[in-house]
Amino acid sequence: MALQSEKLKGKLAMVTAGKVQYDVMISYDAEDAAVAIKLKDMIGKKGIHAWTADSEATAGTDIFNAIGRIIVDCKIFVFIMSDSSVASKLCQDQLALAYVSKKNIFPVQLNEREDLLAHMDNGMKLQLAGFEWFSLNNDLESESKEFVDRVWEEVQSEIEQEKADGSKKETKNPGENKATAVRKAFKRQKTLTNLNKSLSKTKMSRLHLEDASTYWSQSFGKETTITWDRFRNKILGDFKADFEETFGEKDTEWLLSILHREMMVDSGDNMLKKEKYLEFCSVDDVIHPLWLRVQEQARESYAMREVFSMDSSVRVQAIENLGKYKSATVIQALIDLLTDSDVNIQAVAIISLARTGSNDITTIVNLRKSLKSKDRVVREAACLALGHVKATQAVEALVNLWRNDIISNVREAALVALKNIGGEKASEAIRVTTVLEKEIRALKT
């Protein structure tokens, strides 16, 4: 919903605690408001709460904050696609947030597919590639009815799934480690499996569709460890046209840096292990084709970059709301953003990671790397994040910053982190440094 009219600002559907819970969020451009309201009314007759800009609006509240909360909390995200909406920055932000918060996305096209694709950026094309598109550009009345029936069925399915998940939580072994398998847990949205089906019917070659294990064997034989440069050159050669057409030179380099991190390439010797490569290519214990996993990773990363960019209309709400899900996919995508070229995005990603409460070894290791950033805000955020998740492994590095960083804000943040972490090691470091400081001051007088 591209809220381009100033008169819409300050209007908010009542979605705070104890008020209306919306099952469906309808995102659209102001030019397509008539279609959005028609769909909302039809969905409402099914007993489902759908949100549009005119929904029970209340003056005096930030509508952009409301939108962020609604997207994260809803069950279905309906995106009305027209030439204007797919080019709208606000709609791009909303779609990206829906994607990273694992919403069931229903794209509704008002124009021909090729016309819409011509107006989309790389990220939007990839995010929508795996979802079934519903057309309303022929017969609005009959096609709308069929679409609304599908939405109703999906909402009921989501409700049943929530009940089932609730039952599982009640019977879950309390001793189970919540931090297990974080690196592997890319949970594909239900409709994302359509991507594999659709691609298999296109011009995809055997190379694109063979599983990642076969690709490794045919490329590197029985070797279990290879240099990253060798792997990089191999995939850039095999998928040269795909990288050029889908990502372009700049985004290809950005994506390769993410793959380097995702496959947990050793930063010391820059070696890639077959085991880590296969973990990356596995979803739900099934090894998938390498190129399809690269595309999935790109979709996640594009969406996270859109959501957390400094000019995103949903950034603040994403930070505040996504953390509560402790989603492994979100956590991993946030880790990817720690290497973004924009230090502001790095800092926001660090804050968001802290809010998730994730303290697995991968998260800690990457937050510790941020302590070495040249940017003082990034270092300060990393200190506070490590303290928030009580990262005992970072005590030594935090002590070093507390004693040596040239920026007072960073030193103060490191001390706060050490106090939050607590424990014998941190307490002793604080005690020793404090004693030394007192003795030094005494010598000065």
Side-chain angles (χ1 to χ4, degrees):
M1 174 187 48
L3 303 174
Q4 297 166 336
S5 171
E6 286 297 318
K7 68 181 181 180
L8 289 177
K9 292 185 179 180
K11 294 184 177 180
L12 164 67
M14 301 170 71
V15 293
T16 53
K19 298 181 181 178
V20 177
Q21 170 66 50
Y22 289 95
D23 297 311
V24 178
M25 161 73 179
I26 302 180
S27 177
Y28 61 99
D29 185 82
E31 293 182 10
D32 308 313
V35 176
I37 293 171
K38 178 179 177 60
L39 291 180
K40 174 203 164 186
D41 291 342
M42 293 178 70
I43 292 171
K45 290 177 181 178
K46 290 276 191 178
I48 299 170
H49 288 295
W51 193 93
T52 59
D54 70 325
S55 299
E56 303 164 29
T58 300
T61 311
D62 186 349
I63 194 169
F64 295 114
N65 286 346
I67 289 170
R69 291 196 299 275
I70 295 164
I71 292 172
V72 172
D73 290 338
C74 73
K75 296 178 177 63
I76 306 293
F77 181 85
V78 175
F79 180 30
I80 297 179
M81 300 187 299
S82 64
D83 290 348
S84 55
S85 69
V86 299
S88 163
K89 178 65 170 64
L90 294 177
C91 287
Q92 291 167 7
D93 292 347
Q94 292 158 23
L95 174 65
L97 180 56
Y99 191 92
V100 300
S101 55
K102 295 302 177 189
K103 299 298 105 175
N104 220 328
I105 297 174
F106 279 54
V108 179
Q109 63 181 90
L110 303 183
N111 301 97
E112 294 300 323
R113 189 184 187 96
E114 292 305 315
D115 291 340
L116 293 172
L117 289 172
H119 289 83
M120 293 181 187
D121 61 14
N122 285 344
M124 183 174 283
K125 288 177 184 176
L126 283 168
Q127 287 154 27
L128 294 173
F131 296 95
E132 179 183 357
W133 291 22
F134 299 88
S135 175
L136 299 184
N137 62 354
N138 295 316
D139 184 348
L140 182 61
E141 289 298 325
S142 62
E143 290 173 341
S144 294
K145 184 179 183 303
E146 180 182 352
F147 169 74
V148 169
D149 287 341
R150 287 289 302 277
V151 170
W152 183 87
E153 291 172 3
E154 196 59 40
V155 168
Q156 303 312 307
S157 175
E158 292 279 342
I159 291 172
E160 291 301 316
Q161 186 61 52
E162 286 178 359
K163 291 179 180 177
D165 291 342
S167 299
K168 288 178 182 178
K169 288 179 181 178
E170 290 177 3
T171 58
K172 187 175 179 180
N173 179 359
E176 185 174 337
N177 183 2
K178 296 179 181 178
T180 57
V182 168
R183 295 295 296 183
K184 297 172 66 176
F186 273 94
K187 292 296 182 182
R188 185 183 278 112
Q189 291 102 324
K190 285 184 247 183
T191 50
L192 198 54
T193 54
N194 292 338
L195 178 65
N196 294 11
K197 296 177 183 177
S198 63
L199 288 178
S200 64
K201 297 177 183 178
T202 63
K203 60 181 180 180
M204 301 292 279
S205 68
R206 174 194 59 78
L207 188 64
H208 293 85
L209 297 173
E210 68 185 10
D211 71 78
S213 180
T214 301
Y215 178 78
W216 180 284
S217 298
Q218 293 181 348
S219 301
F220 312 115
K222 295 183 179 180
E223 294 181 77
T224 58
T225 305
I226 60 172
T227 65
W228 171 254
D229 288 341
R230 182 180 171 192
F231 176 79
R232 180 184 186 280
N233 291 336
K234 177 64 176 172
I235 63 173
L236 284 178
D238 288 343
F239 302 104
K240 183 175 186 294
D242 301 285
F243 276 110
E244 290 177 351
E245 293 173 11
T246 307
F247 305 112
E249 183 177 351
K250 182 178 179 181
D251 280 358
T252 291
E253 290 303 316
W254 166 72
L255 181 57
L256 285 170
S257 70
I258 292 172
L259 295 179
H260 185 278
R261 179 185 295 277
E262 278 296 319
M263 296 183 189
M264 300 180 73
V265 177
D266 190 296
S267 58
D269 55 17
N270 213 32
M271 301 295 287
L272 169 64
K273 295 180 180 179
K274 180 181 179 180
E275 172 191 2
K276 299 303 180 185
Y277 158 83
L278 291 178
E279 281 184 12
F280 168 78
C281 294
S282 298
V283 179
D284 297 333
D285 298 321
V286 176
I287 299 175
H288 292 264
L290 170 62
W291 182 247
L292 294 184
R293 282 295 294 119
V294 168
Q295 288 186 307
E296 283 189 14
Q297 179 63 57
R299 279 189 291 276
E300 297 283 348
S301 299
Y302 271 121
M304 293 300 288
R305 187 168 71 174
E306 185 74 39
V307 166
F308 289 100
S309 67
M310 294 305 293
D311 61 348
S312 169
S313 62
V314 297
R315 182 174 66 89
V316 174
Q317 288 306 310
I319 294 170
E320 293 181 355
N321 290 297
L322 286 179
K324 68 183 179 183
Y325 289 96
K326 296 180 173 56
S327 160
T329 302
V330 170
I331 291 170
Q332 193 55 61
L334 287 170
I335 289 174
D336 294 338
L337 289 178
L338 299 183
T339 58
D340 196 276
S341 58
D342 187 336
V343 292
N344 293 315
I345 292 178
Q346 291 178 34
V348 170
I350 290 168
I351 295 167
S352 303
L353 272 173
R355 289 181 182 272
T356 69
S358 174
N359 62 357
D360 64 282
I361 187 62
T362 302
T363 302
I364 300 303
V365 166
N366 285 286
L367 285 175
R368 285 182 61 182
K369 290 180 181 178
S370 296
L371 294 176
K372 299 179 181 179
S373 171
K374 294 180 180 179
D375 186 82
R376 68 99 176 165
V377 174
V378 171
R379 297 199 305 277
E380 183 179 355
C383 288
L384 296 175
L386 289 164
H388 184 77
V389 300
K390 300 188 182 302
T392 56
Q393 308 95 316
V395 167
E396 186 175 342
L398 289 167
V399 169
N400 181 58
L401 279 184
W402 177 37
R403 295 177 63 155
N404 300 308
D405 201 282
I406 61 173
I407 304 297
S408 62
N409 285 7
V410 177
R411 295 197 301 272
E412 291 167 6
L415 179 56
V416 169
L418 289 169
K419 290 179 177 178
N420 285 340
I421 293 171
E424 184 177 344
K425 188 174 181 181
S427 298
E428 180 61 14
I430 292 173
R431 187 191 69 80
V432 169
T433 302
T434 302
V435 169
L436 287 173
E437 286 178 341
K438 287 181 179 178
E439 293 182 356
I440 290 171
R441 283 196 295 270
L443 285 175
K444 287 181 179 179
T445 58

